[in-house]
Amino acid sequence: MEKQYDYLIVGAGLFGSICAYELQKLGFRCLVIDKRNHVGGNLYCEKINNINVHKYGAHIFHTNNDLVWKYINKFLSFNNYRHSVIANYKNEIYNLPFNMNTFAQLWKISTPAQAYDILESQRIPCPSNFKTLEDHALETVGQDIFEKLIKGYTTKQWGRSTDKLPASILKRIPLRFTFNNDYFGDTFQGIPVGGYNPLFEKLLANVDVKILTNFFKERSYFTSLATKIIYTGPIDAFYNFEFGYLDYRSLEFQQRILPCDNFQGTSVVNYTDIQVPYTRIIEHKHFEFSNSPSTVITYEFPKNYEVDSEPYYPINDTNNNQLYRKYHEKSKKDVNIIFGGRLAEYKYYDMHQIIASALKKIKEETDRKL
Ligand code: FAD
């Protein structure tokens, strides 16, 4: 019997919605379901006092990929917002990422040569082959930057002290010897004028969508509706955790509406002191240069992941990566199911990477079919 849909897409986030849009354009019938009460996944914005509030954390679009930039600009127009971050350590203010402004604030110096000298004198070499994050940071940036700007923040972010975290979590620590505070070096950057919701309104305009619908609550019913499934939820849940639970870092957001027009003078302030329980405060109006007389701020508290909380960041350490590979190997045998996105691939993807990856998956899929 012919099925009602060609594709059931689980998850109305960026990956699922792009797949739905591209497939419906080619004439395939798609049903998108999402367990949340809105579409858009973590890009969802809520309008409060005329300010687009990024409900699931600050989302800044940035890419060097010309095709991805052209693609997203078909749906959204971007302002010229450039992201830069302030760090607050015990009320001392520093610019991030580490650059000449940071070095001047830390050491009252003014030239790159002075900065090289101080960094060199502070670095602590570590001969071990198994470096912790702390070893790696001390070796790269030395004591002052590590103590004031990395140690407390990273401990809060990952819920483990820096001598218990693998160096790989920190990736590369950028050191910039110019007075440039740009957080991202990408050619194309910005915030969509009017927030991210219009993107999803356009992507899903001609697709059947059901929100407040958890795939696992009616798995066999939804599976019976379509020939193929595109699944963007956590891969371990799809396989009923049969090899074990993948670990994530979760977040709690606490939002406040304040009767002032400017709370912190910028969109993101990182709190790097371990004594402050949150990692950052977002002031949403600065993303779109709003002149609203009030403001909305969000405190971000990292927390341990439990199965009922939201899985925000995959923890790509050795154990979790091994576990993920078992699920991935199994998933390759399920030829009627396409796994994609940050939860199903257990990978920290930025938005531009999700767009590139969804377009690639759909091309592979439709090249096979058409
Ligand atoms: P998601 O957005 O998570 O979408 C998955 C969807 O699947 C969700 O809506 C979920 O409800 C749904 N789902 C899951 N399980 C089920 C189920 N059983 N049944 C039905 N539905 C289900 N990227 C950037 O480029 N710039 C940034 O500044 C940036 N900041 C970020 C800040 C934070 C705090 C976080 C967490 C991420 C940030 N990202 C940023 C990354 C960005 O959010 C992701 O690249 C993007 O959201 C991934 O899209 P996705 O579709 O894979 O996942």
Side-chain angles (χ1 to χ4, degrees):
M1 205 175 68
E2 207 202 351
K3 304 252 188 180
Q4 197 178 336
Y5 294 100
D6 299 302
Y7 292 91
L8 166 72
I9 300 175
V10 180
L14 190 57
F15 191 94
S17 302
I18 287 186
C19 291
Y21 176 80
E22 292 298 321
L23 288 166
Q24 66 81 25
K25 245 181 21 181
L26 294 167
F28 294 106
R29 299 156 306 162
C30 300
L31 170 64
V32 178
I33 61 171
D34 202 295
K35 63 181 182 174
R36 294 183 184 173
N37 65 357
H38 56 75
V39 298
N42 286 342
L43 279 60
Y44 176 70
C45 298
E46 187 184 359
K47 201 161 227 151
I48 300 174
N49 292 355
N50 225 16
I51 298 165
N52 289 304
V53 173
H54 296 201
K55 287 300 278 186
Y56 301 93
H59 276 75
I60 299 104
F61 199 92
H62 59 99
T63 185
N64 281 322
N65 186 324
D66 199 33
L67 291 178
V68 164
W69 184 243
K70 283 197 182 119
Y71 185 84
I72 194 78
N73 275 275
K74 288 198 290 188
F75 307 98
L76 296 172
S77 45
F78 285 82
N79 66 17
N80 63 354
Y81 175 87
R82 305 285 292 197
H83 195 46
S84 62
V85 175
I86 294 292
N88 180 320
Y89 175 78
K90 297 184 192 288
N91 286 332
E92 294 168 16
I93 294 297
Y94 297 99
N95 288 105
L96 298 178
F98 312 132
N99 69 68
M100 280 303 299
N101 289 307
T102 332
F103 307 144
Q105 290 147 353
L106 276 165
W107 303 314
K108 311 280 173 271
I109 50 120
S110 55
T111 67
Q114 291 171 308
Y116 287 127
D117 284 348
I118 296 188
L119 277 166
E120 206 42 55
S121 69
Q122 294 216 348
R123 285 190 177 121
I124 305 175
C126 174
S128 165
N129 286 333
F130 301 99
K131 288 184 190 130
T132 64
L133 187 149
E134 185 160 324
D135 297 332
H136 172 57
L138 286 170
E139 195 168 48
T140 317
V141 295
Q143 196 76 40
D144 286 352
I145 294 183
F146 173 68
E147 289 292 337
K148 291 191 166 183
L149 299 175
I150 296 179
K151 189 175 181 180
Y153 187 87
T154 313
T155 304
K156 289 187 280 186
Q157 196 176 24
W158 295 104
R160 265 189 267 168
S161 63
T162 47
D163 58 354
K164 304 270 180 317
L165 284 165
S168 55
I169 282 190
L170 209 51
K171 296 184 192 139
R172 202 173 57 84
I173 307 177
L175 287 173
R176 203 182 275 162
F177 293 90
T178 59
F179 289 92
N180 173 4
N181 291 327
D182 277 357
Y183 198 79
F184 301 113
D186 302 54
T187 316
F188 309 110
Q189 304 185 27
I191 296 286
V193 180
Y196 289 93
N197 296 2
L199 169 65
F200 294 91
E201 283 156 24
K202 291 174 190 165
L203 290 173
L204 298 172
N206 300 313
V207 176
D208 289 349
V209 178
K210 275 182 195 286
I211 54 169
L212 291 170
T213 303
N214 189 334
F215 174 64
F216 297 118
K217 296 245 160 87
E218 294 164 278
R219 184 173 185 148
S220 50
Y221 166 69
F222 281 110
T223 305
S224 74
L225 292 182
T227 313
K228 275 193 149 185
I229 298 177
I230 297 179
Y231 177 80
T232 74
I235 191 165
D236 54 349
F238 188 88
Y239 289 113
N240 206 15
F241 310 100
E242 68 174 81
F243 301 126
Y245 290 83
L246 286 166
D247 202 8
Y248 297 88
R249 200 74 185 129
S250 194
L251 292 170
E252 186 185 316
F253 298 106
Q254 282 182 19
Q255 187 180 293
R256 298 235 176 100
I257 304 172
L258 302 176
C260 67
D261 69 343
N262 190 1
F263 172 73
Q264 62 183 17
T266 190
S267 53
V268 179
V269 178
N270 287 1
Y271 284 80
T272 57
D273 179 10
I274 188 77
Q275 301 304 331
V276 178
Y278 41 86
T279 43
R280 28 186 210 170
I281 300 180
I282 315 293
E283 187 172 12
H284 302 268
K285 70 186 310 177
H286 297 294
F287 290 126
E288 292 188 62
F289 319 116
S290 158
N291 54 15
S292 164
S294 62
T295 195
V296 183
I297 60 169
T298 305
Y299 295 82
E300 249 179 59
F301 295 84
K303 58 174 204 175
N304 290 335
Y305 171 69
E306 281 141 31
V307 172
D308 284 340
S309 46
E310 279 291 335
Y312 284 108
Y313 300 108
I315 302 182
N316 289 108
D317 61 13
T318 314
N319 288 348
N320 282 304
N321 286 345
Q322 273 169 4
L323 185 54
Y324 167 70
R325 270 196 292 277
K326 286 192 190 168
Y327 285 115
H328 179 60
E329 284 309 310
K330 183 163 174 119
S331 74
K332 286 202 246 170
K333 294 181 194 123
D334 278 326
V335 289
N336 284 329
I337 300 156
I338 297 168
F339 292 85
R342 68 184 182 105
L343 299 171
E345 294 182 61
Y346 198 65
K347 203 184 248 175
Y348 188 88
Y349 275 131
D350 273 329
M351 293 179 276
H352 61 284
Q353 295 163 317
I354 289 283
I355 295 172
S357 145
L359 292 174
K360 183 165 174 266
K361 277 257 162 81
I362 292 305
K363 181 157 183 356
E364 285 163 6
E365 171 70 3
T366 51
D367 279 354
R368 259 197 305 272
K369 286 204 159 177
L370 296 174

